[in-house]
Amino acid sequence: MGRPPTTPPLMNPLLVFPDPPPPELAQALDLGGWVWKAVDDPDRAVVDEPDEGWAGAVVVADTDPEAAFLMCRRLRKGEMPLEPLLLLVGAAQVADLELRDDLFDDFSLTPVRPAELEARLQHLFWRTGRGTRPELIEYGPFALNLETYQAAVNGSPLDLTYMEYELLKFLASHPGKVFTRETLLSRVWGYDYYGGARTVDVHIRRLRAKLGEEHAGLIHTVRSVGYRFGQSRWGV
Amino acid sequence: MATAGFLHAGPVTETGDERKRNQQDYVLRTVEERGVRLIRLWFTDVLGRHKSVAISPAELETVFDEGLQFDGSAIDGFSRIQESDVLARPDASTFELLPWASPDEPSGTVFCDIVNLDGTPFEGDPRQVLRRNIERAREEGYEMFCAPEVEFFYLAQNTGTPVPLDRASYFDLTTTDISSDLRKRTLHMLEALSIPVEYSFHEDAPSQHEIDLQYTDALSMADSIMTLRLTVKKIAMEQGVYATFMPKPMNGVQGSSMHTHLSQFRDGVNAFYDGGDDDLSDTARSFIAGLLHHAREITAVTNQLVNSYKRINEGYEAPRYVSWARNNRSALVRVPVTKTGKSESTRVEYRALDPACNPYLAFSVLLAAGLRGVRDGYDLMPEAAVNFSELSRAEQRELGVANLPTNLSEALDEMEDSELVRDALGDHIFEWFLRNKRAEWTEYQRQVTPFELEQYLPNW
């Protein structure tokens, strides 16, 4: 082809708190090949958020627990709760985790051991339905290859129009998350749409039609909120 | 929270040109990955017939860049006095793989816009006409959503006296299965082509079926109707039967309609919804008034065949009277009752359309008529409380109820005097259409019909 295809960024960055992170954490992340960006306060996390959203977060709580938990709360309580979130705490802080289960997906003790950090992150991404191979999104029978633009269910190709592909890519990149129709419009369509949120409904309906009866349920309607790809984190 | 302010609030990730390029790249990549052997470029002539030119994948990138040049003079309504060459420009957002193509030889399809050699929209292209009307509506903040209910018949063959499959089924049980299998397979194909089906069922007449499509924007819907007609016919042909969208193929049973539900969204919300006790907004009321006021002028476009008027005149549920009602199926415009609070589903149903129309032109004139009513603040006549077909001519006259044109000639007379239709279609199509349809009427008038032979030959 004459033009290079527009390739998506290989991986959205992980959000890392605080800025700067402990040197051993930075080193371990670099070693694992993670793309990351450190931020120092919740507002910064919003401003610096990439278009496709943060891939996940690593929050270090052992130096300033109050700020760290505030950060977690902000990342998790928004319109789109960020996940996976790995919390790093000192051994003495383990008791503080009580009643804060909703703020993180897994935790690990400081000081950071690179092999453990890597294993926990890999496992978290696997569990939240995202491989760490960013060119391939897999979820149950569903697979989406971001390099070739090809989607498949149970190995059979799923032929999509461009906007169907873009919408499915966005939803499937954040399995379990609920998106409002307005968020989907701004994230997937950008500015170039008419007819408002109804446009989203039209395309969701088309995607379900293409997924076929058996797999149409991969895209859930969340009443009076919006849409979600795959199961919610609470398994409902 | 879908408000105008939100419209531009999202991160602007692509410009219009970038999006177009991304769409084209996506298609080129898909063609390569899926090993597509043939790409069908689809467009529509002025009468609404599907046209197709096939190109090889190797040509696709050039055709995206430069368009495909062809001589338009052989296409109905495309001919001009001077330059006859035009360009077909594929609209990459409509690219689909044909679900019935053999897996070994995938083939793709893409709708095209027709442009002049200098790149300006070609005035004879119905898709460009609809684009222009949609663009105008957008300038005023409106986006129309359409949901048609398409009726058609399955017949044993396409010539001679129509033989419905179901009547045959009276003798042969297996043929009933054929028509339900046909519909099932057709729905499956439509869904694979991004055309979601809301409902489908067997209609009242023998062998008559209806497919109701899920609402979408007018341009996508016009494309979808073209694809639907092709798909229904194609699947029928595979089974050795014939599907027809002819408005009135058989005497004594109801014809095929294409009732179409329309709504206008503005700033992301349904402009037809009032929110109060009366579910119709002022916009909805003047939109309906626009449809009714211009109904007689647009009928030649919404019902373009000599045969279309056999359906309109037949009675049954065909709307002969220019009126509106919430629950009166003899009315031209019906306002379906929606559940309280379902603001998004408030809509109006225009009941004159038949499935043999050119959907691009039909949606263009409906949009233009409705929005003219909104723009000029037309007053809406009172809701029809009675079934007009049960009234005498005198009673109808007293109520001031107009008829729809009763034949194509009358409809063309109305159209010819319509500044609204001329403006909506553009001079080129407006004039060509009138010429072509007048000729069709003249030809029809010269025919000695079976009716005449049966009635007159034995007696005179």
Side-chain angles (χ1 to χ4, degrees), chain B residues 193-268:
Chain B
L193 284 160
S194 293
I195 305 177
V197 174
E198 185 102 320
Y199 303 106
S200 85
F201 45 90
H202 194 298
E203 254 296 341
D204 293 348
S207 217
Q208 188 184 30
H209 293 259
E210 172 169 329
I211 295 180
D212 298 355
L213 298 183
Q214 171 88 8
Y215 62 82
T216 188
D217 64 276
L219 186 67
S220 307
M221 188 51 83
D223 289 345
S224 295
I225 290 168
M226 296 308 295
T227 308
L228 176 141
R229 291 200 295 220
L230 182 87
T231 306
V232 167
K233 281 176 174 286
K234 159 95 188 156
I235 303 303
M237 210 186 300
E238 281 178 4
Q239 299 297 318
V241 301
Y242 183 73
T244 183
F245 296 90
M246 181 176 168
K248 176 78 170 148
M250 282 186 280
N251 290 327
V253 297
Q254 70 171 15
S256 293
S257 63
M258 192 172 81
H259 299 164
T260 297
H261 297 257
L262 306 171
S263 56
Q264 293 286 344
F265 275 64
R266 184 171 198 173
D267 297 341

Side-chain angles (χ1 to χ4, degrees), chain B residues 17 20 22 59 70 93 109 119 124 140 232 268 281 286 307 331 364 395 424 434 439 441 459-460:
Chain B
D17 278 351
K20 197 166 150 193
N22 289 346
E59 296 170 275
F70 69 97
S93 69
T109 157
E140 294 169 40
V232 167
S281 68
S286 45
N307 182 253
S364 293
E395 286 170 319
L434 282 170
W441 177 254
N459 296 319
W460 299 92

